[in-house]
Amino acid sequence: MGILDWISQSAKKLKDVESQISTEAGDVYEVYQRNVVLEREIAQRTEELRLANQTLLTLEQVWDMMNSSRPLSSVLETIVSSLYGEFGYIYSFIAQKQYDEAGTCYALQTYLENDFSIKLADIVGSTIYDFKLFPRKDGVIENAILNKEVGYYISIKDLLEDNIPNIDEQKAQEFSDNYNVKTIIILPITVQNQFQGFLSVFSPRKELKDDELSFLNLFTRQIELAITIANLFETVKKQAVTDHLTNLFNRRFFEDALHREATRSLRTKQPFCLIGLDLDHLKRINDTYGHSMGDKAIATIASVITKTSRSVDIPARYGGEEFFVILPGIDAKGGLIAAERLRTTIEQSIVDGLEEGITASLGVASFIEQTTNIDELFEMCDKAMYCSKQKGRNQVTLADTDNMTSWQDVAIDAFVDILTQHRIPFNRSLATDLIEKLQIKQQDSSGASTQEMLFSIVDSISKSYFPLHPDGSTKNKVSLATIIAKRMGLSKTEVDKLKIAMLLYDIGNTMMPKEIMKKAAPLNTLEKEAIQKHPVVGAREILQPIDSVSNIIPIIEHHHENWDGSGYPNNKKGNEIPVTSQIILIVDSYFAMISYRPYRKAYTIDEAIEEIKTNSNKKYSPELVEAFIYSIDEFKKL
């Protein structure tokens, strides 16, 4: 082969190689391009999978919180925080529909407190807590709500100008320029087909993909479900702590709240006030117009209390026509102002169908300023309220700390004397222990319940001669007797005397032979005569030497006299019998009936009530029976 042929052949081979290399390079580039696309797709799918997984984890966390009865605020905060921290959004909040003097608005119910919210609050001239949106008609928010669809803003400036009246446009623009927000998403929230508000999300992305919108809709549904569950929980909770007639808190909740507020007050060294309120002339209203009109008057009082109370105040219906309001952070001076405002508003109120107006008598007492004992605070407020009644009703009275010998103090002195002087046959060691507890309680300023101690002591003494005496019976008897007494219009002084008498009326039984008290068979004549002496024994032999309870002795001595004169020990009848003695009789009879006895089974409540009705105008006065029936319904709610 010549040189020219070799050159020609080599050139051809080189050309073939170049052609092959070119072809393979194209294939390699094509593969490279495919790999780039595939890598992008893998990255995209990986991110979508991460977001989906994060969404599921967050939704699972939210669901767990809802199942654990966590507060609604905690659930909503979790959702908002997740959107901000884990899903890459710049900001988010949940707005709730409200009504303002300026019209319909949206307040931030749940939001993030960070640099964004601080600067936003500065722009609108309020704290983020008070931040409100007033949507423009035909604006993005209103259209989203009306059409039940997702709405969009393309900048923070548009959002502010559309919803904040008289916004400073320059500040709005500067604020908008400082954050890389490309889209603001508005997702309406509806619960049981009722519009509640919306979820707002500030996104750094200009376009919203379908899967992202699906995620946000999932979160919105979770918000709706959380609100639904919270509403149901609040409904059940409210039914447990509120009075059905007035929708105010009930007595049980009030007593717990009073203890909580006292603890907080002592910790923070801040006073709080207690206002007591009693509707004037309710008995006259009931007798003249019927009980339904009395209920309307009570409901009107409750409505006034609700309207004049702050959101932090705790208004409660204590029983019958008696109300209390706890005013956290308010001193005596502020309490008097609040009480006078309440009194004036009640006086100006109109009850449909009631020709005369309604008024109320109010008392005010201040915790820390006047006392640091809860029982004493309540007693002071109660006395001040009754003082307003005695001075002519329809007025406010501040508690008098110089005149504060409470019925509990009188009762404590009586029991200390009885146990110290060994006036009754009682275990010496146990008596010493009770005396020590009573004396400590007299000096106690922690707010612990003196009443509970007294009830416990009476229960202990009663069990010493009657083992079947149930724990808590004394407390129940005093509560029911107090309700009846107030129902019958007794004065504060008479009610206090009744409370003391309820603790002491059976003290004479401690002197009776034990075999009589425990006997299952019917008593013979001599045994009955012995039992019928216990009121006199209790009044004259045990209590008469104690000066502080001398005015209680007639109540105890006559608590077994019957309305028709068939009772004992003096066969008194009708109005000869002190009303307080009559109340003790009917309360004692009722609790005896519903308790088991060795010689008979316990009555049901309905059977006991029917038995009391049967003895109207015989054993009990008709007026007392009527008051008892009304009071027993109220007592059941305690």
Side-chain angles (χ1 to χ4, degrees):
M1 179 184 299
I3 188 65
L4 292 175
D5 291 336
W6 181 83
I7 292 172
S8 176
Q9 190 175 10
S10 296
K12 183 179 179 182
K13 287 181 178 180
L14 183 59
K15 191 174 182 180
D16 289 341
V17 171
E18 288 177 349
S19 176
Q20 185 177 354
I21 290 173
S22 178
T23 300
E24 289 179 356
D27 291 342
V28 170
Y29 182 74
E30 184 178 349
V31 170
Y32 171 76
Q33 288 291 90
R34 288 178 180 175
N35 283 342
V36 170
V37 172
L38 184 60
E39 286 177 0
R40 288 176 180 171
E41 189 171 340
I42 290 173
Q44 182 179 346
R45 296 291 179 264
T46 301
E47 178 62 15
E48 289 174 356
L49 184 62
R50 186 190 70 80
L51 287 174
N53 185 55
Q54 184 61 55
T55 301
L56 290 174
L57 288 174
T58 304
L59 291 176
E60 182 181 6
Q61 181 184 7
V62 171
W63 180 250
D64 288 342
M65 291 180 72
M66 288 191 290
N67 283 340
S68 65
S69 298
R70 289 284 295 277
L72 176 62
S73 58
S74 295
V75 180
L76 298 184
E77 284 172 8
T78 297
I79 294 173
V80 168
S81 298
S82 298
L83 289 170
Y84 169 73
E86 298 165 5
F87 293 91
Y89 293 111
I90 294 172
Y91 197 71
S92 63
F93 63 77
I94 297 171
Q96 183 181 33
K97 185 178 183 180
Q98 291 186 351
Y99 296 96
D100 187 86
E101 293 179 359
T104 303
C105 68
Y106 297 89
L108 301 198
Q109 180 181 15
T110 306
Y111 52 87
L112 298 168
E113 292 193 53
N114 55 19
D115 180 68
F116 185 97
S117 64
I118 293 172
K119 291 181 179 178
L120 177 61
D122 183 58
I123 292 295
V124 299
S126 70
T127 64
I128 196 69
Y129 178 80
D130 296 319
F131 180 45
K132 292 180 181 178
L133 299 170
F134 292 86
R136 176 174 58 82
K137 287 186 177 180
D138 298 326
V140 172
I141 293 177
E142 287 297 304
N143 284 329
I145 293 165
L146 183 64
N147 299 319
K148 297 180 180 179
E149 62 184 19
V150 179
Y152 303 92
Y153 287 102
I154 60 173
S155 73
I156 300 175
K157 179 175 178 292
D158 290 344
L159 170 70
L160 296 177
E161 290 182 350
D162 208 24
N163 299 281
I164 306 296
N166 305 317
I167 188 74
D168 187 316
E169 294 184 10
Q170 183 177 350
K171 286 186 177 181
Q173 184 64 60
E174 290 174 356
F175 179 66
S176 186
D177 293 341
N178 285 335
Y179 292 92
N180 186 34
V181 175
K182 301 293 180 61
T183 310
I184 300 172
I185 309 149
I186 306 295
L187 298 103
I189 298 171
T190 58
V191 177
Q192 297 178 334
N193 295 321
Q194 296 293 319
F195 172 69
Q196 298 283 319
F198 60 86
L199 168 65
S200 181
V201 176
F202 294 62
S203 174
R205 296 174 287 278
K206 195 170 185 179
E207 296 181 359
L208 187 68
K209 297 180 180 179
D210 290 342
D211 55 356
E212 186 177 1
L213 182 59
S214 297
F215 293 155
L216 290 174
N217 277 322
L218 276 174
F219 280 102
T220 306
R221 300 294 82 76
Q222 288 297 309
I223 293 171
E224 293 171 346
L225 183 58
I227 293 173
T228 299
I229 292 174
N231 287 344
L232 290 172
F233 180 75
E234 284 301 315
T235 298
V236 173
K237 183 179 176 182
K238 184 178 179 181
Q239 289 173 347
V241 301
T242 56
D243 172 69
H244 74 285
L245 175 63
T246 63
N247 283 325
L248 298 179
F249 290 117
N250 59 22
R251 177 174 176 172
R252 184 175 300 172
F253 182 88
F254 164 77
E255 290 175 343
D256 290 342
L258 191 59
H259 279 81
R260 288 195 301 270
E261 187 58 30
T263 300
R264 186 204 63 79
S265 178
L266 291 171
R267 185 181 70 252
T268 62
K269 309 299 182 186
Q270 289 187 333
F272 73 87
C273 249
L274 182 64
I275 296 177
L277 180 155
D278 196 89
L279 172 62
D280 295 330
H281 302 300
L282 176 63
K283 187 176 185 301
R284 188 173 71 192
I285 294 173
N286 286 331
D287 292 344
T288 306
Y289 299 93
H291 289 291
S292 60
M293 186 59 69
D295 286 345
K296 286 180 70 174
I298 289 171
T300 300
I301 291 280
S303 177
V304 171
I305 293 174
T306 300
K307 290 176 181 177
T308 56
S309 295
R310 305 170 302 163
S311 59
V312 296
D313 295 339
I314 304 171
R317 183 188 182 195
Y318 195 74
E321 67 272 34
E322 194 172 6
F323 302 84
F324 286 94
V325 185
I326 301 171
L327 286 74
I330 299 297
D331 58 14
K333 183 178 179 181
L336 282 172
I337 294 172
E340 182 59 29
R341 181 172 62 248
L342 183 56
R343 184 202 66 78
T344 303
T345 308
I346 291 171
E347 187 179 29
Q348 295 170 349
S349 299
I350 298 174
V351 180
D352 291 338
L354 187 63
E355 294 179 4
E356 58 191 275
I358 57 172
T359 61
S361 300
L362 296 87
V364 178
S366 176
F367 192 78
I368 288 186
E369 289 181 295
Q370 295 180 312
T371 180
T372 55
N373 181 285
I374 292 177
D375 289 334
E376 194 170 273
L377 176 77
F378 186 85
E379 188 73 15
M380 290 168 64
C381 186
D382 205 35
K383 277 193 171 184
M385 180 171 59
Y386 274 87
C387 183
S388 291
K389 280 191 175 296
Q390 292 171 351
K391 291 188 296 184
R393 296 182 171 85
N394 190 26
Q395 51 191 286
V396 177
T397 301
L398 179 65
D400 181 4
T401 54
D402 294 330
N403 185 22
M404 262 311 298
T405 302
S406 69
W407 68 269
Q408 294 103 319
D409 291 333
V410 174
I412 288 176
D413 288 340
F415 279 109
V416 168
D417 186 293
I418 290 169
L419 295 171
T420 303
Q421 301 300 321
H422 310 299
R423 299 189 189 282
I424 60 174
F426 194 69
N427 181 280
R428 294 294 179 92
S429 176
L430 182 56
T432 301
D433 182 54
L434 294 180
I435 292 167
E436 182 178 348
K437 289 180 180 179
L438 285 166
Q439 290 173 336
I440 291 173
K441 184 60 64 180
Q442 279 186 311
Q443 301 170 9
D444 184 20
S445 62
S446 65
S449 178
T450 303
Q451 293 185 51
E452 295 297 331
M453 169 63 74
L454 287 167
F455 297 152
S456 176
I457 286 174
V458 175
D459 285 341
S460 297
I461 293 175
S462 297
K463 281 187 175 183
S464 70
Y465 62 83
F466 185 60
L468 293 177
H469 178 89
D471 290 330
S473 177
T474 301
K475 178 179 180 179
N476 289 333
K477 288 179 180 180
V478 174
S479 295
L480 179 56
T482 303
I483 294 171
I484 296 172
K486 291 182 177 180
R487 176 70 185 167
M488 296 186 71
L490 269 65
S491 68
K492 170 65 177 171
T493 301
E494 289 301 308
V495 173
D496 283 350
K497 287 164 61 177
L498 173 62
K499 289 176 181 177
I500 299 169
M502 287 298 302
L503 300 178
L504 295 167
Y505 76 92
D506 257 351
I507 196 76
N509 279 331
T510 59
M511 310 298 286
M512 297 297 106
K514 296 291 188 294
E515 58 271 15
I516 295 179
M517 301 303 299
K518 297 178 181 179
K519 188 174 181 180
L523 301 180
N524 59 40
T525 302
L526 291 176
E527 291 168 338
K528 286 181 180 179
E529 288 177 356
I531 286 293
Q532 289 178 359
K533 290 180 181 178
H534 86 270
V536 176
V537 170
R540 297 181 184 176
E541 295 183 21
I542 300 174
L543 299 178
Q544 197 167 39
I546 306 173
D547 292 337
S548 61
V549 294
S550 59
N551 58 349
I552 309 298
I553 291 176
I555 302 174
I556 293 174
E557 187 170 348
H558 300 305
H559 79 270
H560 272 295
E561 303 285 5
N562 294 336
W563 185 252
D564 62 3
S566 61
Y568 60 86
N570 299 315
N571 302 115
K572 287 183 176 291
K573 65 179 180 179
N575 292 324
E576 296 176 350
I577 310 167
V579 175
T580 42
S581 300
Q582 298 176 44
I583 294 173
I584 293 178
L585 175 64
I586 199 169
V587 170
D588 184 60
S589 299
Y590 170 73
F591 280 99
M593 286 183 217
I594 63 173
S595 300
Y596 166 77
R597 293 291 184 267
Y599 51 86
R600 64 158 173 81
K601 66 178 184 177
Y603 287 36
T604 66
I605 290 176
D606 289 340
E607 288 172 344
I609 292 173
E610 285 303 314
E611 179 68 17
I612 286 173
K613 287 180 180 178
T614 301
N615 280 284
S616 177
N617 210 30
K618 299 175 186 175
K619 193 169 184 178
Y620 322 107
S621 75
E623 182 185 14
L624 178 61
V625 172
E626 181 185 358
F628 170 83
I629 294 170
Y630 184 92
S631 300
I632 201 69
D633 288 334
E634 185 177 328
F635 172 74
K636 291 176 186 177
K637 300 170 189 174
L638 299 181

